Amino acid sequence: MNICVVGTGYVGLVMGTCLAEFGMNTICSDKDSSKIAMLNKGKVPFYEPGLEDLVDKNLAEGRLRFSTHIKEGVQTSLVIFIAVGTPANDDGTVDLRYVKEVAEEIARHMNGYKVVVVKSTVPVGTCQEIKALIRENCRGAYNFDVVSNPEFQREGSAIEDFMRPDRVTIGAESEQAIAIMRDIYSVLYLNETPFVITNPETAEMIKYAANAFLATKITFINEMANLCERVGADVHIVARAMGLDGRIGRKFLHPGPGYGGSCFPKDTLALLNIGRQRGCDLKLVDSVIRANEEQRLRMVEKIRGMVGELGGKTIGILGLSFKPNTSDVRESSSIIIIQRLQAEGAKIKAYDPAAMDEAKAILRDVHYCADPYEVAEGCDALVLLTEWNQFRRLDLDRLKELMVTPIFVDLRNVYDPTKMREAGFQYCGVGR
Ligand code: UDX
Ligand code: UDX
């Protein structure tokens, strides 16, 4: 089967490459010609573990191709995935411009029956809008279906999430489209991956509900962490015991500096707005969004509590990406916290294993370092913001010698508080 994927970002490139790996002839298109030029040389423009090898392999085996033009992909493929970005507007609503532009272009090049699959996260009802747009812009009386197939790919483990998903969600209106989608994912079907087959509106809703729930779970444990600090409890043990209850589950109960990334902040805001537009007040989602913003500010207070007045102090930051194993800094709590610290007059030194180029495009006046030890040199405090493996076994004696004052603010609870104090650090984590 021939497949076309439009948009070679974090979502589209992983999906297109994995579909090629599943044996499908896949053309990935992107309007960004520099990206396509890189990809044609087998270079991935961002960091995602394992992706470059998989791109190389499928390019070499001839199943994966890259192009700046949509036309060929549309005309030779039965199924076209739309995986372009859906950024948030200033008011929190979703900017559907790119998705709609791509849909119109697909319509103009149609030459027979096509299944157009919306992979991007879009407000409920968008598939119906896309359907109308394609009908308006289509130059022949071709039959087509529009399907919602939301992604659940975590950056940093996106290949694994695509190849071994917890479920595949398909929102479609015709039996033909459902059969074609089942065929695409038949490799997983044999693995007994659960399939949720429903209408497009329900599929669109599933994506928002899942992400809002996960954001809520994180926010809940962050709130418990804040209370644990006041009552002398250890949030890790609380989370572990909570998670052992099968009804609650262990995952996404790690306290930290607030969730970030390209999905949770944007999707929770979008959901709130979808609710508002339909007269449905989503109080819980609203609180989660506000609590997450406050959590980031609370981290700044925590740092101030440790170092005193921030003006003139040098703060060393370990980690800039919104989570480990990605170079993505979109809505990263690290970036937001750094900007706050700078606004209060602190000088920033920073290191990240993958995200420094991305951070340079956003942050000013940061002294970027080659490793954690260069960061520590001359610092009044070190703040661990992203739990990269590289930061888990730092040479504590060496750090202490390099720092002006041995203050360690561990916003991901990577280190053991007792051992850190024994090692001579003034230490604080989150909720312990
Ligand atoms: C995805 C989804 O699309 C988004 O809805 C979801 O909520 C988060 O993940 P992502 O892959 O992270 O977005 O976005 P990004 O990395 O920005 O990639 C989008 C790609 O589409 C870019 O390479 C961009 O050049 C390309 N694009 C954008 C097009 O090819 N055509 C366009 O009209 C717009
Ligand atoms: C998310 C969804 O998990 C995924 O299914 C898909 O819809 C895309 O969006 P992603 O944003 O890549 O994935 O990463 P995720 O692992 O969900 O982490 C998001 C943020 O939450 C990160 O900033 C992370 O540090 C934070 N987080 C996560 C916590 O603070 N605590 C946790 O327990 C888990």
Side-chain angles (χ1 to χ4, degrees), residues 18 41 51 74 94 102 116 128 142 147-148 152 162 183 218 230 247 284 309 344 405 424 426:
C18 289
K41 290 184 199 141
L51 186 56
V74 170
V94 180
V102 169
V116 178
Q128 299 298 352
Y142 302 115
V147 171
S148 165
F152 297 98
F162 189 87
D183 193 23
I218 298 167
R230 306 241 157 92
R247 294 169 300 176
L284 185 55
E309 200 36 58
E344 309 230 359
T405 36
Q426 295 168 48

Side-chain angles (χ1 to χ4, degrees), residues 24 65 78 251 267 273 397:
M24 277 164 264
R65 288 199 293 133
L78 173 62
K251 292 180 181 170
D267 294 351
N273 276 294
D397 289 335

Side-chain angles (χ1 to χ4, degrees), residues 7 9-11 30-32 35 84-86 98 120-121 266 330:
Y10 288 87
V11 172
D30 201 295
K31 66 176 183 183
D32 183 339
K35 225 176 215 183
V84 294
T86 48
Y98 304 118
S120 305
T121 307
K266 173 168 71 76
R330 285 180 285 182

Side-chain angles (χ1 to χ4, degrees), residues 5-18 26-48 50-69 83:
V5 178
V6 185
T8 59
Y10 288 87
V11 172
L13 183 59
V14 170
M15 185 187 57
T17 309
C18 289
T26 310
I27 296 192
C28 294
S29 85
D30 201 295
K31 66 176 183 183
D32 183 339
S33 53
S34 61
K35 225 176 215 183
I36 293 298
M38 267 183 94
L39 287 166
N40 271 323
K41 290 184 199 141
K43 292 271 161 266
V44 171
F46 50 86
Y47 179 69
E48 178 65 39
L51 186 56
E52 203 157 86
D53 288 346
L54 216 55
V55 168
D56 275 341
K57 176 172 174 248
N58 284 282
L59 267 177
E61 290 171 4
R63 287 186 301 270
L64 183 61
R65 288 199 293 133
F66 296 104
S67 166
T68 45
H69 303 294

Side-chain angles (χ1 to χ4, degrees), residues 2 15 47 50 78 117 155 173 188 196 201 220 272 274 285 298 308-309 321 387 405 417:
N2 292 342
M15 185 187 57
Y47 179 69
L78 173 62
V117 186
E155 287 177 29
E173 289 177 309
L188 306 176
V196 179
E201 291 71 23
F220 182 85
L272 189 65
I274 295 167
V285 179
R298 190 171 284 119
E309 200 36 58
S321 55
E387 69 279 32
T405 36

Side-chain angles (χ1 to χ4, degrees), residues 154-155 207 211 252 254 259-260 263-264 322-323 412:
R154 281 165 305 164
E155 287 177 29
K207 167 71 189 230
N211 273 0
F252 279 64
H254 302 288
Y259 59 77
C263 288
F264 290 171
F322 78 97
K323 62 183 277 187
R412 297 287 184 171

